[in-house]
Amino acid sequence: GIAELCSVAEAKKGSFYFFFDSKQALALEMLERSWHRTRTQIFEPAFGDPTLDAVQAIDRYGHLLADNLERLRERDDVVAGCRFGNFAIEMAPRDDTIRAAVSSILDEMVDLVAESIARSAVGAGGDDSGARATAAAVIAQMEGLMVLAKARRDPALLRGLGAVAGRLLH
């Protein structure tokens, strides 16, 4: 509840309501800020680099994710998994607004991966018609690896994402 959030944050309830109308508003703000940070620190360096083919971009993506989770593990002694996947599992069945926000973020993830796959396919003289479906499979693989990394406390599992994607793409 809000009282517990305020207690942990060492903030007064009035301070919470000064900034947020509800827990939902806090969650939506957190999702937006997290996506902005994830996009600029992980997705854009991997999928925004036109010199990388799709497999290289996905491999960089897996390494950037692993690096980030390893830093968090060192700092907080926890492997958190994917915030967006966690929200999809926990909140999407209960709150349509949060479900829509998470779905939109996941769609953006798929779009960024699909653009890289399409660029690679077209550049190699291939067909990019399945790029979005393949990108969704890559994101699903990443989410599964994040669950395993969380359960095993081993972010290095994400370093294998590029090899798996290579088999999907060829």
Side-chain angles (χ1 to χ4, degrees):
I2 292 172
E4 185 179 356
L5 287 170
C6 290
S7 175
V8 170
E10 299 178 357
K12 296 190 183 305
K13 237 179 176 178
S15 296
F16 175 88
Y17 285 110
F18 179 79
F19 292 102
F20 304 103
D21 295 334
S22 63
K23 286 189 298 184
Q24 180 191 63
L26 171 65
L28 292 170
E29 179 70 20
M30 188 278 310
L31 284 167
E32 182 180 324
R33 286 178 185 224
S34 292
W35 173 233
H36 174 74
R37 187 174 55 251
T38 301
R39 183 179 178 124
T40 58
Q41 292 178 1
I42 296 175
F43 275 84
E44 289 173 3
F47 299 107
D49 184 342
T51 65
L52 300 178
D53 67 28
V55 173
Q56 292 169 324
I58 294 165
D59 189 58
R60 180 180 287 175
Y61 168 63
H63 283 267
L64 289 168
L65 284 170
D67 292 346
N68 186 53
L69 287 177
E70 287 167 351
R71 277 191 303 276
L72 292 173
R73 183 182 61 191
E74 288 171 15
R75 187 187 78 197
D76 299 331
D77 195 32
V78 67
V79 176
C82 176
R83 178 171 290 133
F84 311 110
N86 292 342
F87 262 83
I89 291 165
E90 296 294 326
M91 296 301 299
R94 293 185 267 180
D95 187 312
D96 283 340
T97 303
I98 290 176
R99 181 202 52 74
V102 171
S103 181
S104 177
I105 290 167
L106 292 170
D107 284 345
E108 284 187 56
M109 289 180 183
V110 169
D111 290 344
L112 291 166
V113 177
E115 289 168 13
S116 178
I117 292 169
R119 255 192 334 263
S120 291
V122 170
D127 177 13
D128 70 345
S129 62
R132 198 157 200 305
T134 304
V138 168
I139 294 300
Q141 179 70 25
M142 177 275 296
E143 288 293 340
L145 286 171
M146 291 285 268
V147 169
L148 288 173
K150 185 176 181 175
R152 295 179 182 166
R153 295 181 48 81
D154 184 9
L157 293 170
L158 289 153
R159 296 187 191 285
L161 189 58
V164 171
R167 291 190 289 279
L168 279 172
L169 292 169
H170 293 108

